[in-house]
Amino acid sequence: MRAILAALLFAALPTLAARDFVDDAGRKVALPDKVTRVYAAGPPASVLVFALAPDTLVGWTRAFRPDETAWVPEKYAKLPELGRLTGRGNTANVEVILQAKPDLIVDMGSTNATFASLADRVQQQTGIPYILLDGRLETTPQQIEKLATALGTEARGKELADYARALFTRLKSKIDAVPADKRPEVYYARGPQGLTTGLKGSINVEMIEFLGAKNVAAGTTGGLTNVGLEQVVLWDPAVMVTNDPNFYRDVWTLPVWSSVTAVRKKRVYLSPHLPFGWFDYPPGANRLVGLLWLSEILYPEQFKHDLRKEVATFYKLFYHQEPTAKQLDTLLGEAGVSPR
């Protein structure tokens, strides 16, 4: 095994480092002068590398499912599944990375000591530079620009970052004027039972907080957690958002949910998910288009977006392909998606 790893390591050694780069964990990383092959350690990094420099992406953390493939150019949809190094359900290992022969490893999300240590260890084991970038929603424009610098795609980075900044300004300018007592209380119902949610500070519910609404589970700081239905009834949210079509289908027929205000008032919404989730999965730049969708759900008096036009613009810019009219019908016509 050691001989195999040594052979893979020798074959995968990057070209001589020519640039120093300080990542968001404060780690100084020597990058090759030209980056041509990138391994994304988790789904958020996959989405942004794909948006900025799709021809450098050596594979996805998870292969595209049949209903996802038509949303990006075919050659990218066919990239192999390499697994993920970070987050829940990590499936990749050093051998997988070496066999893919990247000259850069990128991860996005938390930059705490645990992830910095993992980056250091993998970089030492593989000899491949590994950068860690802050994945918070509010820093999306800076993430885009920083990754673009690492990839050598600064002009493309400016284009995408400008889009993100303009979107933030457009939404915030109206939301800032909404009084505190007019901001809805929201519950994120994750998973088939709807009983997994994000606590205060969880990257999975950032969109609620970014848009100035109240996450009912924000009384405790943390990440994802499981809660009891009794707790959701006590919270009694005015709006619920789910990422699970099965939960969205069942919530209307299960008597235990009928006492929740959001259910009684038909204010439960299903997040679109093709080819990437609009609300959570993954918690990456794909959420930018979701901000448009969720802002109209939360503040119907302030926002009435032309979603077909907005989605077409975002998908063309970030996913390199404008959806067809039929695809838009499918995406926006799914039960639970429409904000109106």
Side-chain angles (χ1 to χ4, degrees):
M1 180 60 73
R2 286 185 176 178
I4 294 173
L5 280 173
L8 289 170
L9 177 57
F10 180 78
L13 283 175
T15 55
L16 290 176
R19 297 180 289 154
D20 285 334
F21 181 91
V22 178
D23 72 8
D24 288 336
R27 301 167 53 252
K28 187 175 179 180
V29 182
L31 303 183
D33 183 52
K34 183 175 177 60
V35 174
T36 60
R37 294 178 64 80
V38 180
Y39 172 82
S46 295
V47 172
L48 194 52
V49 172
F50 170 62
L52 284 167
D55 291 324
T56 68
L57 191 65
V58 295
W60 297 100
T61 53
R62 175 181 66 73
F64 270 50
R65 292 169 177 151
D67 63 342
E68 298 166 343
T69 57
W71 295 86
V72 302
E74 184 179 6
K75 66 177 181 176
Y76 305 126
K78 287 183 174 179
L79 287 172
E81 175 175 321
L82 300 177
R84 56 191 294 176
L85 270 180
T86 57
R88 293 189 172 193
N90 55 312
T91 53
N93 54 44
V94 169
E95 288 183 55
V96 170
I97 298 170
L98 289 172
Q99 287 171 346
K101 300 181 180 176
D103 44 33
L104 178 64
I105 301 170
V106 178
D107 191 23
M108 305 189 73
S110 173
T111 58
N112 66 26
T114 300
F115 289 95
S117 176
L118 172 66
D120 286 340
R121 188 169 70 250
V122 172
Q123 182 172 288
Q124 185 176 28
Q125 290 173 333
T126 62
I128 301 168
Y130 185 136
I131 62 172
L132 186 55
L133 299 178
D134 179 5
R136 289 176 297 157
L137 179 61
E138 66 181 6
T139 66
T140 300
Q142 294 91 327
Q143 297 161 23
I144 292 171
E145 290 172 333
K146 197 155 189 176
L147 182 56
T149 298
L151 299 177
T153 57
E154 288 85 352
R156 174 75 175 151
K158 183 179 186 308
E159 183 181 23
L160 301 191
D162 285 350
Y163 171 92
R165 285 198 177 90
L167 174 63
F168 287 1
T169 300
R170 182 156 57 116
L171 297 177
K172 291 281 191 182
S173 64
K174 289 190 175 182
I175 293 171
D176 286 349
V178 178
D181 63 351
K182 299 294 184 184
R183 299 186 179 208
E185 294 187 334
V186 184
Y187 172 69
Y188 176 34
R190 198 177 202 253
Q193 307 303 317
L195 293 175
T196 299
T197 196
L199 302 175
K200 181 179 181 181
S202 167
I203 197 170
N204 307 88
V205 289
E206 281 188 305
M207 284 177 58
I208 297 173
E209 295 163 357
F210 183 86
L211 292 174
K214 304 166 186 172
N215 172 20
V216 294
T220 304
T221 300
L224 288 173
T225 191
N226 295 321
V227 297
L229 180 60
E230 299 82 2
Q231 179 62 68
V232 182
V233 172
L234 286 173
W235 283 330
D236 196 25
V239 176
M240 288 170 48
V241 177
T242 184
N243 68 337
D244 195 294
N246 293 322
F247 175 73
Y248 180 80
R249 180 195 62 207
D250 295 342
V251 71
W252 309 109
T253 60
L254 295 173
V256 292
W257 285 94
S258 62
S259 65
V260 177
T261 295
V263 179
R264 286 191 290 104
K265 295 193 174 181
K266 309 294 184 188
R267 297 207 68 196
V268 182
Y269 301 91
L270 175 65
S271 166
H273 54 90
L274 293 172
F276 309 109
W278 283 19
F279 183 81
D280 172 17
Y281 190 81
N286 45 295
R287 295 175 295 178
L288 293 175
V289 70
L291 287 174
L292 289 158
W293 168 76
L294 187 60
S295 65
E296 188 163 329
I297 289 171
L298 300 179
Y299 307 106
E301 294 182 4
Q302 282 75 23
F303 296 106
K304 286 184 172 52
H305 303 296
D306 182 345
L307 272 183
R308 294 180 72 91
K309 182 178 179 182
E310 298 277 9
V311 172
T313 298
F314 176 84
Y315 276 48
K316 184 177 181 181
L317 187 59
F318 282 77
Y319 302 158
H320 313 285
Q321 180 174 293
E322 186 170 330
T324 65
K326 186 176 180 180
Q327 284 180 310
L328 288 171
D329 290 343
T330 300
L331 189 70
L332 300 175
E334 185 173 4
V337 166
S338 176
R340 303 172 193 171

